Amino acid sequence: MKIQEQDILRKLSPKRTFIPLLIGLLSTVVIFYWTYEPSQWQYFWQASLPALLGAIAALLVRDGGYTARIRYLSQKELGWRGSLYSILLWEFASAVTPSVVGGTAVAIFILNREGIRFGKALAYVLLTAVLDNAFFIFAAPLAIWFSQGEVFVGSFNKTMQWTFWFSYLLIALYTFFMAFGLLARPRVVKWLLLKITAFRWLKRWRKAAYDTGNDLIIASREIKGKPVAYWLQAAGFTLFIWTARYVTLNFLMETFIDLSLQDHLLVFGRQIVLWISMLISPTPGSTGTAEYFFTELYSEFLGSFSGTVGVLWRLLTYYPYLLLGILILPVWLRRTQQKLKTVE
């Protein structure tokens, strides 16, 4: 994988925050226009401060978990400060680029500039993606089973189900493919990629397939031979992180309404469906898309107030990373100037 520093820095440019901020502002105006009712103010008067603090704490715990996991995966080659910077900039990159584009190159650049060799940086980024996707692959069927299919709602049911299962299948296949290449037989995966792209209508991707195969071989060398404890702890971190990520919304909704245990499980489960909609969104950071799907999925609990809570949820979990990215990027670039190694 050839990483051009100028290309990456353009992706991380604070100027790129203009588009998601504009889309976010427009979607907020539209949501308030269609859902606002004067009676909604009662939700604010009866809001629970402890639940709101719980949402903020869950968010901080999630970021702490991300920081600890990347430090652990790097076998402490990254310090705590470098791990935190890496995670915040990683989140910033995700916030200013569409999820469908992917941020692998940006993440590798961040770790490489922190002093991690290219091969190791690539291995850690791919391993992180495999772990996160594995959580989704196992959690999604459980959420559907526990909710008896109620994670899909209303007139939205059929469309969302088809979208969900199609995306689930693609993610499962991709994750199996990458895990097999990363942890078992990278050369077999490279051979398959080259065979697939040998067809005339796929030849335009043959060079990319060749590079991807080589990257897998390099990354696989870096993480082979790790003990079972390494994988168990990595899986534990992943479960902890995603639980904290989803529980943030449970706390936020509990701030305004009382939820039963069954309600909490359903709120938690529907975030898996919401995550799919965000994953395939063409907008930077899923701006606009996330708010719309949130309203569709949670109006059952919040009525017309769901639009407002959706905006508050994004104010808590998305927009702070835009601001943090703008603030820490120049500091981080100066700090890592001496650490930067030549990308091989």
Side-chain angles (χ1 to χ4, degrees):
M1 177 184 292
K2 187 178 181 180
I3 300 178
Q4 297 292 339
E5 181 174 350
Q6 291 305 314
D7 292 340
I8 299 299
L9 291 178
R10 273 197 295 272
K11 290 182 179 180
L12 292 175
S13 171
K15 294 178 182 178
R16 294 179 68 93
T17 61
F18 173 76
I19 294 177
L21 286 173
L22 179 61
I23 297 174
L25 177 62
L26 290 175
S27 61
T28 299
V29 170
V30 170
I31 287 171
F32 277 125
Y33 178 78
W34 288 107
T35 65
Y36 175 75
E37 294 177 0
S39 59
Q40 292 179 3
W41 286 102
Q42 67 178 329
Y43 288 101
F44 288 104
W45 308 141
Q46 63 189 29
S48 168
L49 181 59
L52 179 59
L53 293 176
I56 296 171
L59 184 65
L60 295 175
V61 165
R62 184 203 74 167
D63 288 342
Y66 272 126
T67 302
R69 183 177 68 170
I70 195 61
R71 186 169 187 266
Y72 175 76
L73 292 179
S74 74
Q75 297 180 293
K76 300 184 179 179
E77 192 172 344
L78 276 173
W80 284 110
R81 187 178 179 187
S83 299
L84 179 60
Y85 271 121
S86 298
I87 292 303
L88 292 178
L89 288 170
W90 204 333
E91 290 286 343
F92 174 65
S94 299
V96 296
T97 56
S99 298
V100 292
V101 172
T104 302
V106 175
I108 294 170
F109 169 78
I110 291 170
L111 294 183
N112 188 220
R113 191 161 178 124
E114 279 288 346
I116 306 296
R117 284 192 299 105
F118 171 78
K120 286 187 175 182
L122 175 63
Y124 301 148
V125 171
L126 293 180
L127 181 56
T128 297
V130 168
L131 288 169
D132 288 341
N133 287 345
F135 171 86
F136 167 75
I137 290 167
F138 287 107
L142 289 175
I144 294 169
W145 183 71
F146 277 116
S147 70
Q148 298 181 333
E150 289 186 26
V151 289
F152 307 109
V153 292
S155 60
F156 208 48
N157 194 310
K158 290 297 181 184
T159 302
M160 178 56 81
Q161 281 194 55
W162 280 105
T163 303
F164 176 86
W165 287 117
F166 177 73
S167 300
Y168 180 89
L169 179 61
L170 290 180
I171 292 169
L173 288 173
Y174 168 81
T175 303
F176 172 80
F177 196 63
M178 293 301 294
F180 181 73
L182 190 62
L183 306 176
R185 299 294 182 84
R187 293 187 183 279
V188 172
V189 172
K190 179 182 177 180
W191 179 83
L192 285 173
L193 288 172
L194 292 176
K195 284 294 183 182
I196 292 170
T197 53
F199 293 104
R200 184 175 58 185
W201 57 89
L202 294 176
K203 279 190 175 180
R204 70 177 67 179
W205 291 290
R206 192 169 177 80
K207 177 62 166 61
Y210 179 81
D211 291 340
T212 300
N214 286 339
D215 289 343
L216 272 175
I217 292 171
I218 293 170
S220 181
R221 289 174 187 154
E222 296 292 344
I223 60 174
K224 274 189 175 179
K226 293 289 190 293
V228 174
Y230 179 86
W231 301 111
L232 290 176
Q233 194 161 344
F237 272 123
T238 303
L239 178 62
F240 175 81
I241 289 163
W242 282 90
T243 301
R245 186 187 192 106
Y246 285 170
V247 164
T248 300
L249 178 56
N250 287 77
F251 275 113
L252 183 61
M253 290 183 62
E254 185 71 30
T255 300
F256 302 104
I257 58 174
D258 292 325
L259 297 172
S260 65
L261 176 60
Q262 186 62 35
D263 290 336
H264 274 294
L265 291 174
L266 187 54
V267 168
F268 190 95
R270 283 186 181 170
Q271 288 181 76
I272 296 174
V273 179
L274 182 61
W275 184 74
I276 276 290
S277 71
M278 295 170 66
L279 191 65
I280 61 177
S281 172
T283 59
S286 304
T287 315
T289 306
E291 290 86 347
Y292 169 74
F293 278 98
F294 183 96
T295 303
E296 290 288 336
L297 289 168
Y298 293 108
S299 59
E300 174 185 342
F301 298 98
L302 298 159
S304 61
F305 192 57
S306 61
T308 302
V309 175
V311 171
L312 292 175
W313 169 63
R314 293 290 277 174
L315 285 173
L316 182 64
T317 62
Y318 172 68
Y319 292 105
Y321 296 103
L322 290 177
L323 178 60
L324 285 171
I326 293 172
L327 293 176
I328 70 174
L329 180 61
V331 177
W332 177 77
L333 288 173
R334 288 195 298 270
R335 174 180 173 270
T336 57
Q337 186 62 45
Q338 298 302 317
K339 289 187 175 183
L340 185 61
K341 295 183 178 181
T342 303
V343 179
E344 300 173 350

